[in-house]
Amino acid sequence: MKYNIALLKGDGIGPEIVDSAVRVLTALGEKFGHEFNFTPYDIGGVAIDKHGEPLPKATVEGCLNSDSVLLGAVGGPKWDTLPGNMRPEKALLGIREAMGLFTNLRPAKLYSALKDDCPLRSDIVENGFDIMIVRELTGGIYFGERGMREGKYGEEAYDTECYSRMEIERIARVAFETAKKRRCNLISIDKANVLESSRLWRKVVHEIAAEYPEVSCSDMLVDNAAMQLVRNPAQFDVIVTSNMFGDILSDEASQITGSIGMLPSASLGETSRGLYEPIHGSAPDIAGKGLANPIATILSAAMMLLYSFGLSAESDCIVSAVDKVLSCGYRTADIAHGGESLSTDAITDKIIENI
């Protein structure tokens, strides 16, 4: 098979980690007889410097004409003083919207080889955990009405949280379908004791739950969920929640896996074309030093093979290779904890050896 993949390397360590994923995909293609063609496009800070905007039209068109998209990271102190509509992060919202990506899948799994890297007590994570966070991606406060105005106490800013029934229904169905393929346990996270948008969220999720009697569905307030993730993460199978809550909770979940450098993500819509990226940032302080952990990006490529291309054996091959490398004790600096660590390229070499 032949696949055309758009590369959005972005800023900071983005080019390094995307290059690692490209090397792994190329090796995998040789093993399984697939041809992966890669076309780079500018996004984020590098796009601002070259084109005067964070998301050029050519980038959007390139992504829409590809079979799928692999993204590194965007942003950095260089562009922090720009207005909101010109910041590199604005490109992320824009490309998700342009591609119609309303679902973000963020798995948080504790590899047995990394149990000692988990900051939680050993008795809490003795049996590990495997969580899938289903985050709504194109609604909520990140896309709501916002602005500046004069208020009672002078200048004030506002951002509006808004969800429609349709937006909640479609993300809920994705979550229930995901739970069906796992352990049939879904927890919907909201703030229904305070927010009107969460009350509609909870109402609609309960209605959709009636269509999935085989899936156990319950509600949890977001503040309690934040506590439960560090108290007993193994209780979670699939989580479904709003854009902002999902953003925060998935980062918390990443930390209890041992390193934010380990977690991939998939952003999906109505078509097979998706956007795949690590959940971490651009880490400009270590860019170009060979210290970046490419595993999250490599695992994002594995998710691309599974969700966009339907190549389950190939996806499993990458996941297995990563597991073997970790089990053999190979580490990048973020998970070495003072021990011997491998560079970005060296850990990629080890993964390719196990493909």
Side-chain angles (χ1 to χ4, degrees):
M1 297 295 290
K2 187 175 181 179
Y3 302 96
N4 296 313
I5 300 173
L7 300 180
L8 307 181
K9 297 183 180 182
D11 311 313
I13 61 173
E16 302 165 64
I17 55 180
V18 170
D19 286 347
S20 286
V22 166
R23 290 178 56 206
V24 170
L25 285 172
T26 300
L28 188 90
E30 294 173 355
K31 176 182 176 68
F32 286 89
H34 302 304
E35 181 181 347
F36 298 107
N37 296 319
F38 305 99
T39 305
Y41 298 95
D42 295 324
I43 192 171
V46 66
I48 294 171
D49 291 345
K50 291 172 66 174
H51 309 285
E53 56 183 333
L55 184 62
K57 182 179 179 181
T59 297
V60 175
E61 292 176 349
C63 292
L64 294 177
N65 290 325
S66 70
D67 295 316
S68 215
V69 182
L70 186 62
L71 170 69
V74 301
K78 180 180 180 181
W79 306 282
D80 280 351
T81 59
L82 294 176
N85 66 329
M86 281 295 295
R87 287 178 63 96
E89 294 80 6
K90 183 69 174 179
L92 297 180
L93 302 180
I95 194 62
R96 290 166 183 166
E97 187 172 28
M99 293 178 65
L101 308 175
F102 61 86
T103 297
N104 187 224
L105 300 180
R106 291 192 171 191
K109 176 182 177 181
L110 180 61
Y111 286 85
S112 58
L114 295 181
K115 282 186 178 179
D116 290 340
D117 297 279
C118 177
L120 303 181
R121 292 198 321 262
S122 58
D123 60 303
I124 295 176
V125 295
E126 181 179 359
N127 297 316
F129 55 83
D130 183 358
I131 307 168
M132 178 63 81
I133 298 177
V134 180
R135 170 190 170 193
E136 200 287 324
L137 202 56
T138 58
I141 198 166
Y142 293 171
F143 289 88
E145 182 182 347
R146 67 191 60 193
M148 304 287 292
R149 63 192 176 196
E150 283 297 315
K152 181 178 179 181
Y153 301 105
E155 185 181 25
E156 63 182 24
Y158 64 94
D159 300 276
T160 307
E161 170 86 357
C162 181
Y163 268 109
S164 68
R165 169 175 288 273
M166 179 276 291
E167 290 171 315
I168 302 168
E169 284 181 350
R170 67 182 181 181
I171 195 66
R173 286 199 168 89
V174 171
F176 278 103
E177 290 292 335
T178 302
K180 275 176 60 178
K181 299 171 185 175
R182 290 171 53 95
R183 302 191 298 276
C184 290
N185 182 8
L186 176 65
I187 297 179
S188 175
I189 294 174
D190 58 40
K191 191 63 177 173
N193 60 333
V194 175
L195 302 178
E196 200 65 40
S197 57
S198 281
R199 295 183 186 112
L200 178 62
W201 180 283
R202 183 173 292 200
K203 175 185 176 182
V204 174
V205 169
H206 287 184
E207 292 173 0
I208 302 299
E211 302 175 17
Y212 295 88
E214 69 274 44
V215 176
S216 172
C217 179
S218 58
D219 306 302
M220 187 177 290
L221 295 176
V222 64
D223 42 359
N224 185 31
M227 292 186 287
Q228 293 299 326
L229 273 173
V230 294
R231 179 179 178 272
N232 179 21
Q235 71 183 284
F236 295 103
D237 176 19
V238 177
I239 288 171
V240 63
T241 191
S242 66
N243 204 340
M244 182 170 66
F245 294 162
D247 192 3
I248 296 167
L249 292 176
S250 60
D251 278 4
E252 180 188 11
S254 75
Q255 283 302 307
I256 61 175
T257 65
S259 171
I260 198 171
M262 295 295 300
L263 268 66
S265 75
S267 298
L268 307 171
E270 298 288 355
T271 70
S272 61
R273 184 193 305 111
L275 175 68
Y276 299 85
E277 61 180 307
I279 75 165
H280 59 71
S282 62
D285 56 320
I286 62 170
K289 299 179 180 179
L291 298 175
N293 184 347
I295 291 179
T297 313
I298 291 169
L299 291 175
S300 295
M303 294 184 77
M304 175 190 295
L305 296 175
L306 178 62
Y307 289 103
S308 285
F309 304 152
L311 302 176
S312 58
E314 290 86 338
S315 178
D316 289 344
C317 183
I318 293 180
V319 174
S320 177
V322 169
D323 198 14
K324 288 177 183 176
V325 166
L326 294 174
S327 296
C328 288
Y330 297 111
R331 301 284 189 271
T332 46
D334 58 313
I335 50 178
H337 300 296
E340 184 179 354
S341 64
L342 297 182
S343 68
T344 306
D345 286 341
I347 197 84
T348 304
D349 291 339
K350 292 296 182 184
I351 293 171
I352 291 173
E353 288 174 11
N354 285 278
I355 291 293

